[in-house]
Amino acid sequence: MTPIADCATEPSPWSPREAELLAATLQLLQENGYERLTVDAVAATAKASKATVYRRWPSKGELVLAAFIEGCRQAAVHPNTGSLREDLLALGEAITAHATKHSATVRAVMVEVSRDPALREAMQHQFLDQRKALIESVLRQAVGRGEIQAAAISDELWDLLPGYLIFRSVMPTRPPTMKTVQAFVDNVIIPSLTRPLA
Amino acid sequence: MTPIADCATEPSPWSPREAELLAATLQLLQENGYERLTVDAVAATAKASKATVYRRWPSKGELVLAAFIEGCRQAAVHPNTGSLREDLLALGEAITAHATKHSATVRAVMVEVSRDPALREAMQHQFLDQRKALIESVLRQAVGRGEIQAAAISDELWDLLPGYLIFRSVMPTRPPTMKTVQAFVDNVIIPSLTRPLA
């Protein structure tokens, strides 16, 4: 499947140099995990001074969350295929590929964010709000095409598609595959969005 | 809602003394989190020697996984209300209550299990296999009553109900509520299980 999708259309909040430091952080997280990540190694990998890293991200939690969010921003797809099913498959495949590759980072972010209200706030405003708007936009387009009714969209469950796929990615026993995405979209998400409404 | 449910009908693999040590571990995890958990504190809380704890669970990862699994076993409901919807609501409510209360432990287990293949194996055989059998039993009863068709049950997505609710519990921004469970069961799970089949 080749979805018609624009990648990374949200503007980056970072300078090119900052983006390099975050990319180095994400790469080290993927290679060595969260526990072994040090600001020294990030600075060395990106050929920067430790002071440069600390000035921008004073704690390891802030650095890791920023790297995670920037990685997701760059990997995000904004599908606009003209079909709800194809849009959902494109979103689900992108989420699965990214969350599986960066599962150690996702687990670390969940732990760090749970410990620190400021990180929680950052996660909400710099990440979740945008993801929610993206999914709502895909669903509103489907309403516009007459594929689903507006009343079928649930604010309570807006993150069902990413949520279950991320759960599968961070549970190390059964990482999700393209088969998972297809079964989820065809047998769960679309039947839910097209269910008979009272 | 008062589900007709049997609690903790699976036999415990632990002696009463071992179960006390695991209960002390779970309590300390809930109070202080994973990082600050020490075998010293577990032994002191349960009035045991450190050697007793180490003899049974040689690593912190093994101790925490065993405490998590035993806590889930004790909190597990085996609903048999005669209605698929009521059974799913009872399961969803029990999962939500337990995962929200023990969210720090769930995050720690995800990290520990990802690091250690032996813990992954234990998680699979001592926990996930039983959860899968429980959910399959609820769905098979619904097939027997003619509420759903056997072909609607997906092996690929057997953990959708617990998976999304656990995702919501470990994401610290929006813990699930009874409203979440009801919307999930009524607007997602049941429409999926009763969808038209090809």
Side-chain angles (χ1 to χ4, degrees), chain A:
Chain A
M1 196 192 65
T2 312
I4 303 160
D6 303 319
C7 286
T9 51
E10 295 157 37
S12 174
W14 305 112
S15 72
R17 188 71 187 117
E18 287 169 332
E20 276 175 27
L21 288 165
L22 294 176
T25 304
L26 205 58
Q27 186 198 325
L28 289 168
L29 281 166
Q30 195 192 342
E31 287 169 8
N32 306 322
Y34 179 76
E35 291 303 320
R36 278 183 281 173
L37 183 80
T38 63
V39 171
D40 272 7
V42 171
T45 304
K47 296 184 175 50
S49 74
K50 277 170 69 173
T52 304
V53 184
Y54 277 121
R55 201 159 43 230
R56 191 60 199 80
W57 300 283
S59 73
K60 188 168 158 179
E62 287 169 271
L63 176 64
V64 167
L65 181 61
F68 167 75
I69 292 177
E70 177 63 9
C72 291
R73 193 194 63 76
Q74 290 186 13
V77 296
H78 297 254
N80 186 12
T81 62
S83 143
L84 175 61
R85 177 174 186 269
E86 293 299 320
D87 280 2
L88 293 172
L89 288 173
L91 277 178
E93 289 183 8
I95 291 162
T96 296
H98 193 70
T100 305
K101 183 174 171 189
H102 295 289
S103 59
T105 303
V106 177
R107 287 183 207 104
V109 164
M110 284 174 168
V111 170
E112 288 300 317
V113 166
S114 74
R115 284 178 184 156
D116 183 337
L119 292 184
R120 198 140 62 236
E121 191 79 0
M123 176 95 161
Q124 185 67 52
H125 295 301
Q126 296 167 26
F127 182 64
L128 295 174
D129 289 351
Q130 287 85 330
R131 296 306 118 182
K132 188 178 182 196
L134 167 58
I135 288 178
E136 284 175 346
S137 142
V138 163
L139 297 180
R140 270 198 313 272
Q141 288 176 313
V143 172
R145 288 189 301 261
E147 289 188 86
I148 58 172
Q149 292 183 53
I153 301 172
S154 163
D155 204 52
E156 178 62 39
L157 304 175
W158 75 263
D159 57 358
L160 176 62
L161 178 72
Y164 175 66
L165 294 173
I166 291 168
F167 167 81
R168 287 282 297 266
S169 306
V170 297
M171 283 285 293
T173 47
R174 206 163 54 110
T177 64
M178 294 308 117
K179 190 181 155 201
T180 314
V181 174
Q182 197 183 318
F184 192 29
V185 168
D186 285 337
N187 302 343
V188 177
I189 306 280
I190 289 181
S192 168
L193 289 169
T194 57
R195 72 190 182 276
L197 296 168

Side-chain angles (χ1 to χ4, degrees), chain B residues 19-20 67 89 95 114 132 160 168 192:
Chain B
E20 275 174 28
L89 289 172
I95 291 162
S114 74
K132 188 177 181 197
L160 177 62
R168 286 282 296 268
S192 168

